Amino acid sequence: MTDQTRRAPSRAVTAAAGLIVAAEALGLAALACWELIALLSGDTDSAISSIALLVLTGVGAVIVLAFAAGILRGRSWARSGGIVTQLLILAVAIGAATGQYAHPLIGLALAAPAVVGLVLLVLASRAAGRSARGDSAGG
């Protein structure tokens, strides 16, 4: 197997992982928009808490988008951040499926892309590690 044929699947895996993380960032941005609409329409109990939640959601969306961009550029810090993001999404999914106001289908809708993203990020990390060892060994 040539070096070229080994890199093609790892690039595809990395691209797929980056796109999933980017989609999750867009989901967070959509959630921030929904929170803003709720705040502006007066559909909140506490304006201060709503503003704080809106700011944190927006910051989270920007950070997750930065992870996506870094993953697409092959940066290890971004893959690590992406893995942590997937684990946090899985924790939210478990809460959505089993909490006081449980909605198992919402939990599943959150968990499915997170599991796929987690697997792809681990595969991309392994491929990057193999590539780094191969490059430092001279081929």
Side-chain angles (χ1 to χ4, degrees):
M1 182 178 265
T2 68
D3 197 38
Q4 193 80 9
T5 56
R6 273 186 291 211
R7 283 190 196 148
S10 66
R11 285 184 188 155
V13 167
T14 299
L19 291 175
I20 286 176
V21 175
E24 292 165 346
L26 291 176
L28 278 172
L31 180 61
C33 289
W34 181 59
E35 292 169 355
L36 180 61
I37 291 168
L39 177 65
L40 294 176
S41 68
D43 190 22
T44 60
D45 290 334
S46 167
I48 300 298
S49 294
S50 296
I51 291 168
L53 185 60
L54 174 62
V55 169
L56 289 174
T57 305
V59 168
V62 170
I63 290 170
V64 174
L65 188 60
F67 290 155
I71 290 165
L72 292 171
R73 291 185 178 119
R75 305 289 192 248
S76 65
W77 62 266
R79 288 189 301 270
S80 300
I83 288 171
V84 170
T85 300
Q86 302 317 299
L87 295 174
L88 290 172
I89 292 171
L90 285 171
V92 170
I94 291 169
T98 62
Q100 182 177 1
Y101 304 103
H103 293 284
L105 292 179
I106 291 174
L108 181 62
L110 291 169
V115 169
V116 172
L118 183 61
V119 169
L120 289 172
L121 285 165
V122 169
L123 291 174
S125 294
R126 290 179 52 128
R130 278 193 307 271
S131 178
R133 282 191 302 275
D135 292 343
S136 66

